[in-house]
Amino acid sequence: MSSGSQELKDTSVASSKWLDAHYDPVANLYTFSSCIALSDLHGDGENKLVVGDLGTGVCNMKLKVYRGTGLLSESTLLDLPTGLVSFLMDLHEPRTPAIAVASGPFIYVYKNLRPYFKFTLPSLEVNPLEQDVWSQAKEDMIDPMTLKEMLEGLRDKAEIPLSVRSLRFLMLEPQEMENFVLLHKEQPIRRQTVITCIGTLKKNMADEDAVSCLVIGTENGDVYILDPEAFTILYKMSLPSTPTLMDVTGQFDVEFRITVACRNGNIYILRRDSPKPKYCIELSSHPVALVRMGKNVVVGCTHETLHGYTQKGKKLWTAYLPAPVTTMALMDLPTRGFQAVLVGLANCEVHMYRDKNLVSSIKTPDVVTSICFGRYGREDGTLIMTTKGGGLIVKILKRTAVFDDRDSAPGPPIAQSIRLNVPKKTKLYVDQTLRERENAVAMHRAFQMDLSRLRLAAARAYVKALESSLTPMSASLTEPLKMNAVVQGLGPSFKLTLNIQNTAACRPVMNLAISFLYDENLYSMRTAFFKIPLLVPGLNYPIDTFVECLSDKGISDIIKVFVLREGKSAPLLTAHINMPVSEGLALN
Amino acid sequence: MSRFFCALLHTYIDAFLLSAAPDLPILERRNWLIHLHYIRKDYETCKAIIKEQLHETQGMCEYAVYVQALIMRLEGKIQQSLELFQSCAILNPKSSDNLKQVARSLFLLGKHKAAIEVYNEAARLNQKDWEISHNLGVCYIYTKDFKSAEEQLNLALQLNKHDLTYMMLGKIHLLQGDTEKAIDVYKSAVEFSPENTELLTTLGLLYMQLGKYQKAFEHLGNSLTYDPNNFKAILAAGSMMQTHGDYDVAMNKYRVAAYSVPESPPLWNNIGMCFFGKKKYVAAISCLKRANYLSPFDWKILYNLGLVHLTMQQYASAFLLLQIYPSDLRLLLFTLTNLDDADNGRRSHEQAVLLDESNPLVNLNFAVFLYNQGDKKAALLQLQEMERKVNAQVENNSNTDFDPELVEMAQKLGTALQAGENLYWSKLGKDSKTSQRSSSSKPSSSQQPLGTNQALGQAMSSAAGYSKSMQITAEPEADVSSAPSPPTVTPGEPEDEDEETAEPQKVARLAFSMRF
């Protein structure tokens, strides 16, 4: 109990570490941690919250800017935002950062919240054979059906995948093909990919307000570093799989390190001097979120675990979480020299970890889908979260809040102090025990006696049954028979089916008859006696007959079936059929 | 949402017909969103997005189909997921991922041979994938091809070390009955990931099977440090504490286990024996009865329950419990002697003689019993039988180190039956004289039954208190080796039995000497 109350106190202390600045449960935000940034957009020393909102997931995508508790501006996005970063692109005064929104194959750069530049990913190499085929189609050298066949051949063999146009063409119905070719043949073939993640990398200075390059990962597994001013590609690297999460550190001109979590469940670490990944971490489950803390990488996995790795991919620790991870973010307080990882969990909690130690936890009214920690307005330690239901939560860290590193070993579990539920014994039990102690021999003898009697009685009954052929299995060697009976119907008429089988190896059985014995006040049978045909060994002979129940009082009785041999008074077999109660009423 | 999408699609189609050069949407444009929802386990939203995406691309978006299949598999629709993965493999025959998933679904459907074929095909596309090697190994285990399985798992370990692979490799060795090798595997596994409690517990249990209790305790202790709620480790460590008579600490551990797994028969058996060790017999009976209720056919529980009843001098109940599974006939015999039940006694003795081929003690006990019944002829026969066994033992392994009490009793019985001088014991006569003298000073040579039951009960309890905890530990071991657990199959069993029967032997013999 004592540890339970201590836990209670702990959570109340933890909640008091934060001031609830703002909570809007109907802010209507559908976004992820990658689409949230805090930025001093106007250069006035006041940080705004920039959110790339996915709208309904199909339409209504918005770029929203919050200031304080209110919405400052809202502009429409053309497609779903994949990622959003704020970065300084030049040295002009005033130093106002630009916002880059990645969506589809484009990056839209906003300055002063106005569209400034649109970057398009370079198109991918197109299969020369495919190009050939289409140019033939353009000159009407081949008809659509041939085109289709050739493209299908290409799809199955070629190293380079087909372009969207060819794939779309292959999906079409034959009658639509003509139009499609006419419409598209004039256009050059392009093959495009989409951006899956975005990050920033300082160009040549480590300062807070240094110019940064954009780093983007694409669907086909490439990573590009873009020049901040001219938006040309400075560097290109490739990965074995599609990147999903990205963390960038260092400076482009000096040395940098890009940690990328990929869709195949691996994490790759890219360095400045090699276009291929330098290190690889193979995880046992998919990474959900990735955060760099100092020199280590912290990964939250789908198996409800949190792993810590070094920069070179060596595993440091594992922490087990109470629920699946939804998102993670770094909590960095340079003024206090405090760093921790905030982990949003599916059980409506946000846990704060330093290495593998749980430092504190926050309860939230809904599942958190994105977390952002940093300077908002003029407040340094602000925690911004959005929830699954679209809510926006803003919390401010109290200046007095202290996070002490508790030891990870939690001491004995609470369960240890819970009393065992040992069943109690009654006075009666104790009395009986005493009685047994005194009279053990007598009790044992009585028991043995009764046991012997029981065995004797059972044996007698068995012998009797065998002698008078009361069993449904015939014991005689000349007529080994087996019988079972099935009663069908609800009443008052029942159908009685007797299944008779000759279990002998090869000898048939002849001259058998069946008769029934029943209470004539209760039941009537059309034929209470009939002969059985010759029984071939192994076959099952179903014999049907009908029984009429005469009583409407809801009573039932036993019908006895005898299998008889001609010229012998004792039956070979006997079956007792427990008749069901008649549920219907006789008509007459 | 999807209705909205249809509208959108129509505008696309309209755009097709009107404008000259419409931009075709990229097939993969929603892949990131699908993945994001999938890894966050938000399957409902994920399925909605997949549905739209597949509608838009008319089923050509490989990744959408792939994730849909993964979700279906999670929902238990394995056959459907297999079909989807197969269509993925058609869309992109070059991807080993698709083949891997096809194989995985086949594996889950129990078609191990087909799975092996597909994995081999995937391995051709991607040579260096530990997952393929690992899964191939697991498939081979199920097809009972342990050699190939071992090969593949070792290959997987070379490519990349994973705890799971170590577990499987250890399991193969256990299935082949090679505990030493299994221990080696688990040792290297623990070195690789020192905080994996499952590995630590398994290693501890294996050491326990081999009787290396110090090492076993070390690993179990480590496991409990990292996860104080580990049920298997608690049970194993607790039983070891019980062995050392540390009942209170063991109880503390069991309380944790009882909280998480309240309906475990071995746990309640152990708790019961803890109470027994602390001489709280009523509580012991309560707990054992609960254990028996939870697992009515576990002979160990019945045996323990019989033992406690015996200690409580409830001989009639003890007899009923012990006779259900007469694992140790000596206890049953002792009970019957107390119940004055000559018929059952003789039958049990005969059974014991049949079951035990080598132990001369059984025959001696029978001889003494028969003598007490007044059947001197049969007693003499048994004595000669014992003689034969002793001589065989002397010839075979020169194990002449017999218990002096046994020697003394045999001699006394020999003289009483006038068996003659050709007995082995007469040759030993001079050596054993000292012990004879010491025991002859005791007034136990009379033919009247002597000694109170109380003293016996105490002897029993001390013997049992020591021995019982050994029986219990075999329980989690059986789980580890995943043998279909009849108690005689578990590898650690025979050894435990020896340990445990050593004491009751003495007790049973004591009982007869009193009556002699």
Side-chain angles (χ1 to χ4, degrees), chain A residues 518-539:
Chain A
Y518 52 91
D519 186 349
E520 291 189 353
N521 297 324
L522 220 54
Y523 295 105
S524 81
M525 252 180 193
R526 239 168 280 164
T527 44
F529 176 86
F530 42 83
K531 287 193 168 182
I532 310 179
L534 179 137
L535 296 179
V536 176
L539 290 184

Side-chain angles (χ1 to χ4, degrees), chain B residues 37 61 74 114 226 228 260 295 349 368 377 439 468 503:
Chain B
H37 282 290
C61 181
L74 285 174
Y226 292 121
S260 56
S295 168
H349 269 298
V368 173
K377 223 171 152 188
S439 67
K468 266 311 78 203
E503 297 294 313

